[in-house]
C-alpha cells in the first residue's frame, strides 16, 4: 500500500518508521521551511503542492492509496486542504495528531479562536507570558497597556517594543522552572496555543498552581476526518492492524 504522510512533526516520523518497518511504501511530505529537517524513514518530498488542486493532482499522479495528515495542530491550511483533496479524489484520510490539553479543576482558561481575540481578552496592566511563537506577535504588541515576556525558540524577525522582553528558550520546560519564571516575572496571564503533548504542558500546571489566568487559542477547524491520537490507532484506521 502507498501512503502519503503530511509531516513535519515527531508523530509523522514515528508513523513513517512503523509503516516502513512493516513493508509499506511511504512518502512523507514536508513544507520545506526548515533548513535541516529531521528526515523520516521512507521517501520524502519537499515543498507545497499548490493548494487543493495541486494536492489532488499529486495524489492521483503518485497513485496514493491512503493519506495521513500528521502535521502540527496549528498548520491549519494544509489540514484543511487535505480534507478537501480527500473528498475530491476519494483517497481515505486519517488525521493523526496529539490530543489537545483539557481544562482541569483549578484551571482558569478563556478559550478564544484567534490571535486577535486573545490579544483583546487581556485585561489592562496584565503581565503576560506569551508562548504562541512568532505568529500574530504584532497584534499582541499593540497592547501597550500590558507587559509581555515573549518566549520563543528563535528570535522573532520584528524588534520588540519597550513593554516586551524576549526570552529565548526551547522545551522541554520543568514545572519548577515554569513556576519560578512566572513568580520572578510577576506573570498574571499566560497566552498559549493548545498544542497538546508533554514537552510544554508544565506551563499549564504552573498557571493552575499560581492561580494565573490562561488565554488558550483553540486549534483551527480543519473539517471532518478519521481522527486518531496514537500510532497504533493510526495503523488500525489505515486498515493495517486490528
Ligand atoms: P500551513 O499554514 O497549514 O500551510 C501553508 C502551506 O504550506 C500549505 O497550504 C502548503 O502549501 C504548505 N505545506 C504545509 N505543510 C506541508 C507539508 N507537510 N507538505 C507540503 N506542503 C505543506 O502550515 P504551517 O503552519 O506553515 O506549517 C508548515 C509545516 O511545518 C507543516 O508541515 C507542519 O507540520 C510543520 N510545523 C508547523 C508548526 C506550527 O506551529 N504551525 C510547528 C511545527 C511544525 P500548498 O498549498 O502549496 O500545498
Amino acid at each position: 500500500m502507498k501512503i502519503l504522510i503530511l509531516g513535519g512533526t515527531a508523530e509523522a516520523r514515528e508513523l513513517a518508521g512503523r509503516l516502513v518497518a512493516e513493508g509499506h511504501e511511504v512518502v512523507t511530505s514536508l513544507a520545506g521551511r526548515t533548513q535541516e529537517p529531521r528526515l523520516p524513514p521512507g521517501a520524502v518530498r519537499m515543498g507545497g503542492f499548490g493548494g487543493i488542486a495541486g494536492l489532488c493532482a499529486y495524489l492521483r499522479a503518485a497513485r496514493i492509496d491512503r493519506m495521513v495528515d500528521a502535521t502540527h495542530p496549528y498548520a491549519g491550511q494544509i489540514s484543511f486542504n487535505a480534507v478537501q483533496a480527500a473528498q475530491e479524489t476519494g483517497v481515505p484520510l486519517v488525521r493523526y495528531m496529539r490530543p489537545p490539553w483539557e481544562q482541569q479543576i483549578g484551571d482558569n482558561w478563556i478559550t478564544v479562536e484567534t490571535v486577535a481575540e486573545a490579544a483583546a481578552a487581556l485585561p489592562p496592566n496584565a503581565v503576560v507570558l506569551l508562548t504562541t511563537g512568532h505568529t500574530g506577535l504584532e497584534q499582541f504588541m499593540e497592547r501597550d497597556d500590558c507587559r509581555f515576556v515573549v518566549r520563543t525558540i528563535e528570535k522573532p524577525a520584528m524588534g520588540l517594543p519597550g513593554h516586551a522582553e524576549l526570552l529565548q528558550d526551547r522545551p522541554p520546560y520543568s514545572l519548577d522552572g515554569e513556576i519560578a519564571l512566572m513568580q520572578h516575572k510577576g506573570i498574571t496571564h499566560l497566552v498559549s496555543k493548545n498544542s497538546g503533548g508533554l514537552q510544554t504542558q508544565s506551563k499549564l500546571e504552573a498557571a493552575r498552581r499560581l492561580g494565573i489566568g490562561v488565554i488558550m487559542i483553540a486549534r483551527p477547524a480543519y473539517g471532518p476526518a478519521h481522527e486518531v491520537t496514537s500510532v497504533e490507532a493510526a495503523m488500525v484506521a489505515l486498515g493495517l492492524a486490528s
Side-chain angles (χ1 to χ4, degrees), residues 5-235:
I5 301 178
L6 302 171
T9 59
E11 285 81 2
R13 286 192 295 276
E14 192 189 359
L15 179 61
R18 171 75 182 267
L19 288 165
V20 168
E22 296 198 7
H24 298 288
E25 195 180 348
V26 175
V27 182
T28 297
S29 174
L30 302 176
R33 304 228 209 296
T34 312
Q35 292 230 321
E36 288 177 21
R38 290 182 60 192
L39 295 178
V44 174
R45 68 161 297 288
M46 293 270 191
F49 295 95
I52 297 165
L55 181 52
C56 288
Y58 177 86
L59 291 168
R60 291 186 178 116
R63 299 183 173 281
I64 300 295
D65 299 303
R66 300 269 191 281
M67 172 165 53
V68 181
D69 174 12
T71 57
H72 187 273
Y74 285 83
Q77 186 62 55
I78 189 72
S79 296
F80 176 80
N81 291 359
V83 172
Q84 301 300 315
Q87 282 172 3
E88 210 164 305
T89 59
V91 174
L93 171 66
V94 173
R95 185 182 297 134
Y96 170 31
M97 276 179 199
R98 46 190 134 126
W101 295 311
E102 303 283 349
Q103 200 168 177
Q104 296 181 25
I105 291 170
D107 277 334
N108 175 19
W109 291 11
I110 296 174
T111 299
V112 297
E113 303 295 324
T114 62
V115 166
E117 285 175 38
L122 293 167
N125 303 316
V127 183
V128 183
L129 177 58
L130 187 61
T131 64
T132 47
H134 300 191
T135 330
L137 194 49
E138 327 72 45
Q139 294 177 71
F140 288 107
M141 294 305 103
E142 282 171 16
R143 287 295 308 269
D144 57 6
D145 57 336
C146 299
R147 283 195 294 121
F148 292 88
V149 176
V150 179
R151 183 165 68 188
T152 57
I153 296 175
E154 277 159 32
K155 196 172 175 196
M158 75 174 279
L160 293 185
H163 60 287
E165 67 173 287
L166 181 64
L167 177 61
Q168 258 184 282
D169 205 350
R170 64 172 59 239
Y173 302 113
S174 71
L175 177 60
D176 288 349
E178 296 293 62
I179 289 175
L181 172 68
M182 290 179 189
Q183 286 181 323
H184 177 64
K185 298 290 183 187
I187 298 297
T188 62
H189 291 78
L190 167 69
V191 181
S192 177
K193 289 180 183 169
N194 198 336
S195 301
L198 299 175
Q199 295 248 316
T200 57
Q201 77 171 6
S202 50
K203 63 186 170 186
L204 300 175
E205 187 169 347
R208 186 180 312 130
R209 291 198 190 184
L210 297 174
I212 287 172
V214 177
I215 315 290
M216 185 64 79
I217 304 178
R219 292 181 177 188
Y222 330 102
H226 187 155
E227 194 154 332
V228 296
T229 57
S230 69
V231 165
E232 207 48 55
M235 296 300 289

